[in-house]
């Protein structure tokens, strides 16, 4: 009976440590995403301001439209790239958060999912 209690206590401690490590990994991932979004927002705001100034000072309506069209394409491409980067950060965070549980799940025959490509 004493051995069973000690085993339960050890398992409980391992579970708590895994939870703590997993939570820490996810928190770091969320912090990385928040920083990335803040940086992107700042760059986007600065770029938008510069483009509006350029468009407002254009000599012709056609030139202003040309500036706006170039900005729209550049903004779309930058947003798609940023969303891809944020997705990669989330995937890395999830992988790090799962790592502490790998041994526990492996004991039940569960393997980590393969990375999608």
């Amino acid at each position: 009976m004493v051995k069973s209690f000690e085993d339960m206590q050890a398992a409980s401690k391992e579970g708590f440590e895994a939870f703590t490590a997993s939570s820490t990994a996810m928190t770091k991932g969320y912090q990385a995403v928040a920083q990335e979004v803040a940086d992107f927002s700042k760059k986007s705001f600065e770029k938008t301001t510069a483009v509006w100034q350029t468009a407002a000072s254009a000599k012709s309506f056609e030139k202003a439209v040309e500036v706006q069209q170039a900005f729209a394409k550049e903004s779309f491409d930058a947003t798609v790239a940023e969303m891809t980067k944020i997705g990669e950060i989330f995937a890395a965070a999830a992988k790090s958060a799962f790592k502490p549980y790998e041994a526990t799940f492996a004991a039940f025959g569960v393997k980590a999912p393969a990375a999608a490509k």
Side-chain angles (χ1 to χ4, degrees), residues 15-92:
F16 181 74
E17 289 172 352
F19 172 77
T20 302
S22 179
S23 297
T24 301
M26 283 307 294
T27 300
K28 287 180 182 178
Y30 289 139
Q31 288 172 341
V33 168
Q35 185 63 48
E36 190 63 38
V37 169
D39 291 345
F40 180 74
S41 296
K42 181 180 176 188
K43 289 179 206 171
S44 179
F45 179 77
E46 291 169 353
K47 181 69 177 171
T48 302
T49 302
V51 167
W52 278 106
Q53 289 174 345
T54 303
S57 65
K59 301 284 185 201
S60 68
F61 179 74
E62 289 79 20
K63 182 64 179 172
V65 169
E66 182 182 313
V67 168
Q68 285 296 325
Q69 287 175 338
F71 174 67
K73 181 183 180 333
E74 185 180 320
S75 290
F76 177 78
D77 292 343
T79 301
V80 169
E82 187 66 19
M83 293 302 112
T84 300
K85 189 174 185 179
I86 288 172
E88 290 169 355
I89 293 171
F90 271 122

Side-chain angles (χ1 to χ4, degrees), residues 6 8 12 28 39 58 73 84-85 87 96 102 111 117:
E6 290 170 354
M8 270 186 17
S12 177
K28 287 180 182 178
D39 291 345
K73 181 183 180 333
T84 300
K85 189 174 185 179
S96 295
E102 281 181 344
K111 295 181 182 176
K117 291 187 179 186

